[in-house]
Amino acid sequence: MPSRGLSLGAAVVALALAAAPAPGAATEFTARVTNPYYPLLPGMRWEYRGVKDGRPLRDVVRVTDRIEHIGGVPCAAVVDRAYEDGRLAESTVDWFAQDATGTVWYFGEATRELDRHGRVTSTEGSWRAGTDGARQGVFMPARPRVGQSFAQEHYAGHAEDRFEIVSRVATVRVPFGTFTRRALRTREWTPLEPGVRDAKWYVKGVGLVKEATLKGGDERAELVSFRRR
C-alpha cells in the first residue's frame, strides 16, 4: 500500500533521490522480487484490517502471475483492493521490479477510486514510468540501513512519495503474529500533502505488516493474514 509520512527539515535535506536506471538496462531487472523486506512472488497475499477516517478498513494485496513491461523492464503486477465499511472503495495495480543488487523499484500504479455504486470517481495518483516525465523510484533498498532516504515516485504534481528508514525494531506485534529482531520502521511523506506523516513497519520474510498515520489523518492497518503461495 504505497503511502505517506515524516517531518521535513533535516530529513528532506538528506533525501537521496534515487537515480533512474540507464536506458537499455532492462536485462538487469526481474519481475521476481525476492528482497527479504518486500518479497513479491506470484500467489503471495496479504490482508490488513484497520480504520480510515473512523470507518472500518480492509485491504487485500495480492501478487498476480502477470508480468507487465514498462520501458522494456519486466514488472510484477500487484493488485491492491481497499474496502471501507465493507464496500470496495479503491482498486489499484502497482508495478514493481528488482534490480541485480536486490533493490526493489516502483514503476507506477493504475489506481481507481470508486463510489458506493462501483463507479470510478477518480484516477488521480496514477502514473507510469516513462510516461509524461514520470520516473521509477526505490521502494526498498537491497540492504536497508537506518538513515537511508529515497524517493519512491517521481511524477511531479501527482505522485511524489518519499521515505526514510528510521529504526530497527526489536519487536512488532500485529494480529497475524509477533516478530522479533526482524523488523524495521520507516517514516513517509509527500510534498503534495505537507501536513501528513505516516509510519510503516516491515518484517523480514513477510513484508509490510503495519502502517499508521502519525499526523494529518486517522488511518491505521495491521496484518491479519499472510499467504506465501
Side-chain angles (χ1 to χ4, degrees):
M1 293 181 292
S3 193
R4 330 274 173 239
L6 175 70
S7 59
L8 303 179
V12 171
V13 175
L15 179 66
L17 294 180
T27 55
E28 299 178 6
F29 286 84
T30 176
R32 184 176 175 82
V33 178
T34 58
N35 183 302
Y37 284 99
Y38 204 68
L40 298 171
L41 299 175
M44 282 186 165
R45 181 185 182 276
W46 300 258
E47 181 175 342
Y48 305 87
R49 297 291 181 109
V51 175
K52 181 177 181 180
D53 299 327
R55 296 190 298 273
L57 172 69
R58 173 175 174 256
D59 194 82
V60 178
V61 179
R62 179 176 57 87
V63 184
T64 73
D65 58 4
R66 300 199 313 270
I67 296 177
E68 300 191 26
H69 288 78
I70 300 178
V73 173
C75 297
V78 180
V79 174
D80 184 345
R81 292 192 171 99
Y83 300 82
E84 297 177 21
D85 278 331
R87 71 169 182 86
L88 182 63
E90 186 172 344
S91 181
T92 301
V93 178
D94 298 295
W95 300 298
F96 298 92
Q98 182 172 292
D99 68 19
T101 72
T103 293
V104 182
W105 291 79
Y106 189 30
F107 277 77
E109 63 180 295
T111 185
R112 300 180 303 154
E113 295 181 14
L114 310 170
D115 66 15
R116 63 182 59 256
H117 302 292
R119 293 187 294 253
V120 177
T121 59
S122 175
T123 59
E124 177 58 32
S126 297
W127 64 283
R128 189 180 181 100
T131 300
D132 196 25
R135 294 185 294 119
Q136 60 269 36
V138 168
F139 204 86
M140 181 62 67
R143 289 170 289 279
R145 299 188 304 274
V146 173
Q148 288 179 312
S149 296
F150 299 93
Q152 293 175 332
E153 307 168 318
H154 299 272
Y155 186 28
H158 300 277
E160 301 181 30
D161 287 3
R162 313 283 188 253
F163 76 99
E164 180 190 22
I165 300 170
V166 295
S167 66
R168 296 282 180 175
V169 181
T171 303
V172 58
R173 294 182 177 87
V174 295
F176 178 69
T178 299
F179 304 93
T180 58
R181 298 184 299 279
R182 292 192 293 155
L184 57 85
R185 179 182 175 184
T186 67
R187 289 186 289 189
E188 308 200 358
W189 75 101
T190 171
L192 302 179
E193 297 179 5
V196 178
R197 310 286 182 267
D198 289 342
K200 288 184 178 180
W201 289 258
Y202 294 87
V203 167
K204 198 171 186 178
V206 178
L208 179 67
V209 299
K210 180 180 178 181
E211 65 176 297
T213 300
L214 304 175
K215 178 183 177 183
D218 178 22
E219 183 173 357
R220 60 186 181 277
E222 296 183 340
L223 185 68
V224 297
S225 70
F226 170 56
R227 184 180 69 205
R228 294 186 185 277
R229 302 299 286 271

